[in-house]
Amino acid sequence: HHLAEAAADGARFAVSPGTTPRLLAAAQNSPLAWLPAAATAGEAMTLAEHGYTHQKFFPAEASGGAEMLRQLAAPLPLIHFCPTGGVDQSNAAVYLACRNVFAVGGSWPAPTRLIEAEAWDEIEALARQAAALPAHP
């Protein structure tokens, strides 16, 4: 339902905090690119069986953080993650150093207080800093 509404509103992709069988079925019939989320090896494997090799890892910090991702890299070498949930400027580089991480996500470049203040220059500066973070070699 939400995917169809998002597509009708002009969205080109969707991201979810988790995955359910109903959402998985809806995504496979949706024109939107979808980044589903996994927090465990089993969830990641199930998504990969359905063709989703790029996944959100959420909630990253509560689910074992960068160490969990490092542990998943060897047994699940074809799955790549975008960790979110507890990722910020203090630990983003640690996540990006993981060989199975293709990106990180977080709200630190655009905190609510800066949005409410319409401090676009400050948000742009934070976004540039985030974009400059080094990715894994």
Side-chain angles (χ1 to χ4, degrees):
H1 177 72
H2 293 287
L3 290 175
E5 286 179 6
D9 288 341
R12 293 191 286 181
F13 68 92
V15 180
S16 65
T19 304
T20 65
R22 190 169 137 197
L23 179 57
L24 187 59
Q28 291 182 329
N29 294 314
S30 173
L32 299 179
W34 180 46
L35 185 65
T40 67
E43 291 171 354
M45 292 167 66
T46 298
L47 288 169
E49 285 179 356
H50 286 88
Y52 295 100
T53 57
H54 286 74
Q55 305 171 14
K56 177 176 168 178
F57 178 58
F58 177 82
E61 283 291 288
S63 298
E67 182 57 29
M68 174 69 157
L69 290 170
R70 283 191 284 275
Q71 294 296 322
L72 291 175
L76 305 176
L78 301 179
I79 302 175
H80 307 280
F81 297 96
C82 174
T84 69
V87 179
D88 60 26
Q89 67 275 17
S90 71
N91 60 10
V94 173
Y95 281 101
L96 288 167
C98 297
R99 70 179 185 210
N100 56 349
V101 169
F102 69 93
V104 296
S107 58
W108 81 93
T112 302
R113 65 178 177 77
L114 292 182
I115 293 170
E116 289 173 352
E118 298 183 12
W120 311 126
D121 289 345
E122 291 179 58
I123 292 171
E124 181 181 353
L126 290 171
R128 287 185 188 281
Q129 289 172 5
L133 287 168
H136 63 84

